[in-house]
C-alpha cells in the first residue's frame, strides 16, 4: 500500500494537503456566502453546522502548517538520512500532528449531524442517538490523542531516545487503539451517508431538489473509502515505523486529512443550492436576451430588404407610366385610408371576474409541509 520506492513523501504531502485545503476553503466560503446572502430572506442565516465547519477548516489550516514545519525537519524522509537534531524535531512534530489531526476528521461528523437537523428536523430520541454516536467517537479519538504523549515516560522520550531511563509502552497498544478508532470512524461515515436518504426522499420538495440533497450527502461515503484505505495501510505503517519512524507518517496524514476534507465538502454541497439556481437563472436569461437580439436583428434586416424592393418596384412603375404619356394609373397612386371599425371607436369588450378570499388557521398536520417548503428554499 505504501510506496516504498517513493522518497519524497515530504514534498508530496505538502502539495496534496495544501491543494485540498484550497479547494475546501473555496467551498466553505461559498457556503457562508449562501447562508448570509440567500438565507437572510428565509431568516435562516448561520447555524451550528456552519460554525462547526468553519472550526474544522481552521483546524485543517493548523495541521497543514504543522505538516509543513515537520517536513522541513525531515518528516517523510528516511530516518537514517537525518541528523540527530532533525530526528528529534521530526518525531516531536509528528506526535503533535497526530494528536491534532484526528480531530480534523472526527469533528466534521458533528457538522453532518447538525445539518441533518436542519433538513430532517428529527425528534429528541433521534437527536440523542446521533449525538451519542458522535460523542462516543470523540471519546475514542481523545484516548488516542492522549496516548500519543502518555505512551512514553518521560513524554520527551517519545521523540528523543537519547534520554536515559526512558521507557515506552508496547506499540501494540497504540496499534489496537488506532485500528478500533479508525474502524468506528469508517462505520459512522457510511452510516451518516446512507441513513438520511429515505427520509430526504419523503420530504415535500421537488424531486430534483430531493435527489440533489441526497446525492450530496451520500458522497460522504467517499470518506468511508478513505478510512478503509487508511485501515489497510496501518499495519504496514506500524511495521515500517519500528525501524524507520519518520518515513510513512505523511502518507497516513494524507489519508486522515482527506477523510476530513471529504466530510466538510459533502456537508457544504447541499447549502449551495440557492447559488446554483441563481447562476442557472442568469445564464438562462442571458441566452434568452442573446436569442431575442438576434431575432430582432434578423427581422430588421428583412424589413430593410422589403422596403428596398418596394421602392425599386415603385421607381420602375413610374418610369413605365412616363413612357406611356402619363395616362396610365397605378395602384401606388391610390392613397391608403384605414376604414373605421364597424363596431365604432368607443366599443370595447370587458370581462368581470369575481374574486373571493378565505383564510383559516394552519393545522398541525401542515407543519411538515411548511418545513419542507422552507428547506427547499434554503437548500
Amino acid at each position: 500500500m505504501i510506496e516504498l520506492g517513493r522518497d519524497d513523501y515530504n514534498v508530496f504531502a505538502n502539495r496534496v494537503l495544501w491543494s485540498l485545503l484550497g479547494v475546501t476553503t473555496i467551498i466553505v466560503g461559498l457556503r457562508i456566502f449562501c447562508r448570509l446572502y440567500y438565507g437572510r430572506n428565509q431568516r435562516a442565516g448561520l447555524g451550528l453546522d456552519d460554525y462547526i465547519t468553519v472550526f474544522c477548516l481552521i483546524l485543517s489550516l493548523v495541521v497543514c502548517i504543522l505538516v509543513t514545519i515537520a517536513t522541513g525537519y525531515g518528516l517523510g524522509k528516511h530516518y537514517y538520512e537525518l541528523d540527530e537534531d532533525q530526528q528529534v524535531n521530526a518525531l516531536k512534530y509528528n506526535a503533535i500532528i497526530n494528536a491534532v489531526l484526528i480531530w480534523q476528521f472526527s469533528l466534521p461528523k458533528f457538522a453532518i449531524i447538525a445539518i441533518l437537523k436542519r433538513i430532517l428536523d428529527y425528534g429528541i430520541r433521534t437527536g440523542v442517538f446521533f449525538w451519542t454516536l458522535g460523542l462516543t467517537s470523540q471519546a475514542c479519538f481523545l484516548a488516542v490523542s492522549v496516548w500519543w504523549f502518555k505512551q512514553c515516560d518521560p513524554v520527551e522520550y517519545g521523540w528523543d531516545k537519547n534520554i536515559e531511563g526512558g521507557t515506552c509502552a508496547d506499540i501494540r497498544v497504540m496499534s489496537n487503539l488506532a485500528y478500533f478508532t479508525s474502524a468506528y470512524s469508517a462505520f459512522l461515515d457510511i452510516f451518516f451517508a446512507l441513513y438520511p436518504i429515505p427520509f430526504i426522499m419523503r420530504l415535500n420538495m421537488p424531486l430534483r431538489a430531493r435527489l440533489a440533497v441526497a446525492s450530496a450527502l451520500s458522497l460522504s461515503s467517499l470518506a468511508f473509502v478513505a478510512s478503509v484505505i487508511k485501515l489497510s495501510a496501518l499495519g504496514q505503517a506500524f511495521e515500517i515505523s519500528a525501524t524507520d519512524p519518520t518515513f510513512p507518517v505523511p502518507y497516513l496524514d494524507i489519508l486522515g486529512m482527506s477523510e476530513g476534507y471529504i466530510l466538510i465538502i459533502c456537508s457544504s454541497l447541499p447549502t449551495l443550492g440557492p447559488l446554483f439556481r441563481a447562476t442557472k437563472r442568469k445564464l438562462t436569461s442571458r441566452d434568452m436576451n442573446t436569442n431575442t437580439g438576434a431575432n430582432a436583428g434578423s427581422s430588421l434586416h428583412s424589413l430593410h430588404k422589403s422596403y428596398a424592393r418596394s421602392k425599386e418596384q415603385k421607381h420602375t412603375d413610374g418610369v413605365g407610366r412616363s413612357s406611356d404619356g402619363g395616362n396610365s394609373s397605378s395602384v401606388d397612386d391610390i392613397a391608403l385610408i384605414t376604414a373605421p371599425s364597424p363596431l365604432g371607436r368607443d366599443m370595447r369588450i370587458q370581462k368581470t371576474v369575481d374574486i373571493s378570499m378565505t383564510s383559516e388557521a394552519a393545522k398541525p398536520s401542515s407543519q411538515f409541509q411548511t418545513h419542507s417548503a422552507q428547506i427547499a428554499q434554503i437548500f
Side-chain angles (χ1 to χ4, degrees):
M1 179 63 64
I2 299 177
E3 300 180 31
L4 297 178
R6 177 183 286 272
D7 294 326
D8 61 340
Y9 271 124
N10 52 345
V11 178
F12 182 69
N14 277 304
R15 290 176 180 174
V16 173
L17 295 182
W18 283 104
S19 298
L20 290 175
L21 177 63
V23 173
T24 307
T25 302
I26 293 174
I27 294 178
V28 173
L30 293 175
R31 172 193 183 130
I32 301 302
F33 170 76
C34 289
R35 291 297 200 197
L36 295 177
Y37 184 77
Y38 297 103
R40 63 186 179 185
N41 297 328
Q42 289 82 27
R43 297 182 180 179
L46 298 178
L48 178 62
D49 55 322
D50 303 302
Y51 293 115
I52 295 175
T53 301
V54 172
F55 179 76
C56 293
L57 186 65
I58 296 174
L59 200 60
S60 301
L61 175 62
V62 173
V63 174
C64 285
I65 294 175
L66 291 174
V67 170
T68 301
I69 296 174
T71 53
Y73 284 111
L75 192 67
K77 294 182 178 180
H78 293 287
Y79 189 72
Y80 57 81
E81 295 177 350
L82 309 178
D83 57 38
E84 184 176 344
D85 182 67
Q86 289 178 323
Q87 291 173 352
V88 171
N89 285 289
L91 292 178
K92 179 173 68 174
Y93 276 100
N94 175 42
I96 297 173
I97 290 170
N98 286 308
V100 177
L101 182 144
I102 56 177
W103 300 102
Q104 187 268 349
F105 61 83
S106 62
L107 289 177
K109 294 176 176 56
F110 288 114
I112 298 288
I113 294 174
I115 198 172
L116 287 178
K117 176 63 177 178
R118 279 196 173 194
I119 298 175
L120 301 179
D121 194 23
Y122 48 75
I124 297 178
R125 287 184 296 180
T126 303
V128 171
F129 175 65
F130 282 174
W131 283 93
T132 300
L133 291 177
L135 291 174
T136 51
S137 70
Q138 301 310 304
C140 296
F141 287 115
L142 179 61
V144 174
S145 181
V146 172
W147 186 250
W148 270 110
F149 295 95
K150 296 297 294 180
Q151 62 180 334
C152 294
D153 186 27
V155 176
E156 292 81 4
Y157 187 73
W159 51 81
D160 188 1
K161 301 302 181 183
N162 295 323
I163 298 177
E164 297 181 359
T167 59
C168 286
D170 191 344
I171 191 64
R172 288 178 295 181
V173 177
M174 174 57 72
S175 175
N176 292 333
L177 272 175
Y179 269 116
F180 175 78
T181 304
S182 297
Y184 190 31
S185 176
F187 162 72
L188 292 182
D189 290 336
I190 196 67
F191 174 78
F192 286 119
L194 301 180
Y195 174 84
I197 293 179
F199 301 96
I200 292 174
M201 297 306 296
R202 285 161 47 187
L203 291 175
N204 186 23
M205 296 165 56
L207 178 61
R208 293 177 62 182
R210 284 177 286 166
L211 290 175
V213 174
S215 300
L217 290 176
S218 63
L219 286 177
S220 60
S221 58
L222 295 175
F224 168 77
V225 176
S227 297
V228 171
I229 296 175
K230 182 175 61 178
L231 277 171
S232 63
L234 278 178
Q236 185 181 5
F238 280 112
E239 291 179 3
I240 298 175
S241 296
T243 57
D244 196 0
T246 58
F247 174 66
V249 174
Y251 181 81
L252 297 178
D253 293 344
I254 292 173
L255 293 176
M257 294 282 284
S258 298
E259 181 183 356
Y261 285 133
I262 291 172
L263 292 175
I264 293 174
I265 291 173
C266 292
S267 66
S268 300
L269 288 179
T271 65
L272 305 183
L275 182 61
F276 291 149
R277 288 192 293 270
T279 304
K280 183 180 179 181
R281 284 195 299 267
K282 285 188 176 181
L283 293 177
T284 304
S285 176
R286 184 180 302 174
D287 292 339
M288 291 179 61
N289 292 335
T290 303
N291 294 332
T292 302
N295 293 334
S298 177
S299 300
L300 185 61
H301 179 66
S302 300
L303 181 60
H304 282 300
K305 291 177 64 178
S306 299
Y307 175 76
R309 286 197 301 267
S310 176
K311 186 175 181 181
E312 182 180 357
Q313 182 66 30
K314 183 175 181 180
H315 176 72
T316 304
D317 293 341
V319 172
R321 287 195 303 270
S322 299
S323 62
D324 292 339
N327 296 325
S328 301
S329 62
S330 173
V331 178
D332 295 333
D333 296 334
I334 305 175
L336 298 179
I337 301 175
T338 303
S341 173
L343 296 178
R345 180 173 300 177
D346 298 330
M347 182 68 70
R348 290 183 176 85
I349 299 176
Q350 297 181 351
K351 180 179 179 180
T352 303
V353 179
D354 295 330
I355 300 176
S356 60
M357 298 178 63
T358 59
S359 62
E360 60 181 0
K363 298 180 180 179
S365 59
S366 63
Q367 293 179 354
F368 181 76
Q369 296 180 354
T370 303
H371 174 71
S372 301
Q374 293 174 351
I375 293 299
Q377 293 176 350
I378 296 175
F379 296 97

